[in-house]
Structure formats: structure tokens, C-alpha cells
């Protein structure tokens, strides 16, 4: 079957690290198809020359494969000359086995694009792409920080320090101060003064937990880990400040997203830079969920629906949403009830993914409408009264509206 062309002129790029293969298909007035193929290098001057060459043909459609991160700089070069290219999934344009070359790939891309068979993925605008770099690096720092904290806990346990058995977080203010005191050579009795009075553990329990057998190797390893942990925390704070400053114009939307249980300010900021502010780019909430890789694939045969594995999507967005779902599952809200219902039937992992899917659909609706989240289970009026009633009563008594209690 011959593919019927619907575009007169198209351009297709086969992208590699140090090589760009470009194919131009142009239909003349006589109905003949002219094919132009040219190869460029991967450096800045080559990308600029490629963009100018493609622009000279004035193509209706320009497509390229999403090859790793190599497509980003050619895409930016095309953007500078006013071309919005379509970035397509490589799985959708797979060539015939045994006939794979760079020129053949570019030509096949052009044929499919000319027939209107390719659909581009979501590419955020330039400012959001730059903020994505900040957000994703911050997530990487967070992963390293968690690993370093776990490592320090193991080394302390190896040295006989059982502080994690009596405090909920050994990296809290009191626990960290006590560990630093031990590293400075203080005795367990001396570092006990750093313990906050709100700790549930008794002094005897804390003394027993702090009494270990730390060797010089333990002291060295823990002190180096402590320095690295504090460095990572400072870096994360710097990256977060930069991220929030870049989203200063979106403060109302950031505050609205924080009304969803489980979402704090960093989580709302990371969500926005991944999905953007224009939900028309996705069309529907289910398409956004599919793009994020949070819904199962269709697997039906002979009228029977079978279990389908979820597709690969935006891994960064999926991680953020799963962390939000973990936090929302511990709240008193309708989202927590949904988690409990699915957890009882399908297990925790499936329940977390299902809850993340629901939260993403809520986020889609909130960004599209500009509204805030209202939970069906929460009585907001009663909650406001519960929080403010003691203060109101004190003021009413102070100004004589209510008699003082006997």
C-alpha cells in the first residue's frame, strides 16, 4: 500500500551525538517529489548551518527522533530560526530490519511525516526546559542525600550507637547535635544536654543508645559523611531557591496545588516544570497520565481484557507523583480512603500508582480551571472552627462578650 502524501514539503532529522542526517522531501508543481539529503556535524556551527539549510526550504513539518538528550540542541537551533519541530518516539518510526542506515532512517522519517502519520511529544518552552535542569538535579541530590544518611546510620549502628531505636529521625535537630557532640569527643552524659525536652525517650534510654564503641575509623567515616550530608542539604536549598525564583510569576498556581494532600511547595514546583502550565498540549487528563506512564497499557484479545504493563513515561514526573501519593496516603482525606481500598484488594505498590494517577488527574483539572482542591471528606468549616475556636473564645472573654469562667 502506498502512503498518500498530505504535506507538500517536510524535513526529517536522524540525530546522533556528533552527526545529523537531514532529509528534505519537496513536491514540485508538476507533482514530482524532490529528495534532498545532507549530513551535518554535531557542533554549534553545524547545528546553525543545519537550521538555516532546513529553513531555506520552508517546510510545513519538521520531525526528529527523541534520541537520548542529543535531540535537544538541534531542537533549540531550529527554534531560533522559527521552526517548531515534532519530537517523535523512536518506537513509532522503527525501520525495516536489515535496512537501517542513517540516510534510510531520515528518509523513512520524512515519508511518514509527509503522510501525516507522526505525532510529536510534549516539549515544554525554553524557560521550563531550563528549570527542568534545576529540578532534576535537585532530585538527584535528594537521592544521594538519602543514600548518605542511610550509610551514616549503618556506620553508627556498626559502632554500637543505637540512637535510631529511641528517636524517630537521627537527622533531626536534637539527634544531629548529639552525634556532632560525640564526634567532637564529648561523652554521652555531655551530649545529653543537646536533647530536646519534647523527645519521648527518657534520659536513661538516650544514654544507653549513645553508649557505643566507636573506633577511629568510625569517627573518620561518620565525620566525613556528616560534612557531605550538610553540603548536600545546602546545595538542595540553593537549587530550590533558584527553582522557586524562576516560578515567581506562578505563585497563585503553586499555592493552589499545595491544597492537595501530600503536596508541599517543592513538590508543586517540580510538578509544574515537568508538565507545564498549558494543559491544551495534552488535551485530556488520561493522555497526560499515559504520557507520565501512570496508566496500564491496552491488552485485549478475543474480547478478553488482560493485564497490561504500564508504558514507559516521564520517570521524573512518575517519581514525584509516587512520593506525593506516599504522603497523601498518610493523611485524613478522600485520597487516603482510596489508597486503603485499593491496598486491601491489590497491594501497596498498585495502590500507590493508582493514587498517583488520581492526583495527576486532579492536578490537570486544577491547572486547567485555575481552582483549588476541595476534598469530599473534609469539613473545612469545622476544621477552621477547630483551629481558631480557642483564640476566638479568648478574645470574646477579653472584650466582655462572654463572661469569664468562675
Amino acid at each position: 500500500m502506498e502512503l498518500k502524501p498530505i504535506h507538500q514539503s517536510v524535513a526529517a532529522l536522524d540525530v546522533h551525538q556528533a552527526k545529523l542526517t537531514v532529509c528534505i522531501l519537496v513536491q514540485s508543481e508538476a507533482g514530482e517529489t524532490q529528495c534532498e539529503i545532507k549530513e551535518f556535524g554535531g557542533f554549534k556551527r553545524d547545528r546553525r548551518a543545519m537550521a538555516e539549510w532546513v529553513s531555506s526550504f520552508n517546510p510545513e513539518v519538521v520531525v526528529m527522533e527523541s534520541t537520548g538528550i542529543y535531540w535537544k540542541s538541534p531542537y533549540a537551533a531550529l527554534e531560533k530560526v522559527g521552526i517548531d519541530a515534532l519530537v517523535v518516539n523512536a518506537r513509532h518510526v522503527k525501520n525495516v530490519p536489515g535496512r537501517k542506515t542513517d540516510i534510510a532512517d531520515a528518509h523513512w522519517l520524512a515519508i511518514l511525516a509527509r503522510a501525516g502519520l507522526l505525532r510529536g511529544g510534549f516539549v515544554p518552552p525554553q524557560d521550563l526546559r531550563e528549570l527542568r535542569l534545576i529540578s532534576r538535579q535537585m532530585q538527584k541530590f535528594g537521592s544521594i542525600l538519602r543514600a548518605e544518611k542511610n550509610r551514616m546510620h549503618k556506620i553508627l549502628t556498626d559502632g554500637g550507637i543505637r540512637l535510631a531505636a529511641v528517636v524517630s529521625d537521627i537527622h533531626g535537630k536534637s539527634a544531629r547535635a548529639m552525634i556532632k557532640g560525640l564526634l567532637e569527643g564529648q561523652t554521652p552524659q555531655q551530649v545529653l544536654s543537646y536533647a530536646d525536652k519534647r523527645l519521648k525517650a527518657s534520659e536513661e534510654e538516650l544514654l544507653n543508645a549513645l553508649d557505643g564503641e566507636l573506633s577511629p575509623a568510625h569517627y573518620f567515616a561518620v565525620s566525613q559523611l556528616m560534612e557531605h550530608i550538610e553540603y548536600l542539604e545546602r546545595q538542595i536549598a540553593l537549587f530550590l531557591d533558584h527553582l522557586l525564583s524562576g516560578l515567581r510569576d506562578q505563585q497563585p498556581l503553586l499555592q493552589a496545588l499545595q491544597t492537595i494532600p501530600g503536596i508541599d511547595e517543592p513538590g508543586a514546583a517540580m510538578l509544574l516544570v515537568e508538565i507545564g502550565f498549558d494543559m491544551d498540549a495534552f488535551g485530556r487528563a488520561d493522555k497526560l497520565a499515559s504520557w507520565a506512564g501512570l496508566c496500564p497499557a491496552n491488552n485485549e484479545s478475543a474480547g478478553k481484557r488482560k493485564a497490561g504493563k504500564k508504558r514507559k513515561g516521564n520517570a521524573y514526573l512518575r517519581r514525584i507523583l509516587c512520593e506525593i501519593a506516599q504522603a497523601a496516603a498518610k493523611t485524613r482525606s478522600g485520597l487516603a480512603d482510596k489508597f486503603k481500598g485499593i491496598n486491601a484488594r491489590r497491594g501497596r505498590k498498585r495502590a500507590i500508582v493508582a493514587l498517583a494517577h488520581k492526583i495527576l488527574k486532579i492536578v490537570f483539572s486544577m491547572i486547567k480551571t485555575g481552582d483549588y482542591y476541595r476534598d469530599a471528606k473534609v469539613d473545612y468549616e469545622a476544621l477552621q472552627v477547630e483551629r481558631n475556636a480557642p483564640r476566638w473564645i479568648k478574645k470574646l472573654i477579653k472584650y466582655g462578650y462572654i463572661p469569664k469562667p468562675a
Side-chain angles (χ1 to χ4, degrees), residues 11 24 49-59 62 78 81-83:
I24 306 286
M50 176 273 298
E52 292 173 354
W53 186 71
V54 171
S55 180
S56 65
F57 289 91
N58 194 23
V62 178
L78 291 169
V81 297
I83 296 176

Side-chain angles (χ1 to χ4, degrees), residues 182-250:
L182 291 176
L183 294 176
E184 292 171 1
Q186 300 180 26
T187 64
Q189 290 77 11
Q190 291 173 323
V191 302
L192 197 61
S193 60
Y194 301 130
D196 194 288
K197 295 180 179 179
R198 291 174 295 178
L199 289 178
K200 295 182 180 180
S202 64
E203 291 187 3
E204 183 180 357
E205 290 174 333
L206 288 172
L207 283 173
N208 291 332
L210 293 167
D211 189 14
E213 304 86 17
L214 294 178
S215 67
H218 288 117
Y219 279 109
F220 176 77
V222 174
S223 62
Q224 294 301 311
L225 282 171
M226 182 67 74
E227 288 183 11
H228 194 203
I229 286 170
E230 293 181 342
Y231 166 77
L232 290 170
E233 289 173 343
R234 290 193 299 270
Q235 289 297 109
I236 291 173
L238 287 174
F239 272 71
L240 180 59
D241 288 342
H242 189 93
L243 178 61
L244 294 177
S245 65
L247 295 172
R248 191 179 296 110
D249 297 337
Q250 301 294 332

Side-chain angles (χ1 to χ4, degrees), residues 114-147:
R114 191 169 174 231
L117 297 177
L118 298 181
R119 183 177 62 184
F122 170 64
V123 180
Q126 178 67 24
D127 56 342
L128 282 185
R129 294 206 299 271
E130 293 176 356
L131 287 177
R132 272 186 174 186
L133 299 176
I134 305 300
S135 172
R136 293 179 177 184
Q137 184 59 38
M138 190 172 70
Q139 291 184 56
K140 292 294 184 182
F141 279 142
S143 300
I144 298 171
L145 178 61
R146 287 188 289 271

Side-chain angles (χ1 to χ4, degrees), residues 25 86 103 154 166 185 242 335 351 368:
L25 292 181
L86 298 180
I103 294 176
K154 289 182 179 180
V166 295
H242 189 93
L335 296 176
K368 199 170 182 64

Side-chain angles (χ1 to χ4, degrees), residues 118 131 163 205 209 211-213 259 262 279 323 343 356-357 391-392:
L118 298 181
L131 287 177
L163 194 58
E205 290 174 333
D211 189 14
E213 304 86 17
T259 60
M279 294 298 100
E323 289 179 358
N343 184 32
H357 183 189
R391 179 171 54 84
W392 291 341

Side-chain angles (χ1 to χ4, degrees), residues 29 33 47 92 107 145 191 294 306-307 339 405:
E29 294 180 358
T33 301
R47 296 194 298 268
H92 300 165
H107 189 223
L145 178 61
V191 302
L294 282 173
K306 303 177 182 179
F339 168 79

Side-chain angles (χ1 to χ4, degrees), residues 168-187:
S168 58
D169 182 14
I170 65 170
H171 295 280
K173 183 178 179 180
S174 296
R176 180 168 293 187
M178 288 188 283
I179 293 172
K180 284 185 175 180
L182 291 176
L183 294 176
E184 292 171 1
Q186 300 180 26
T187 64

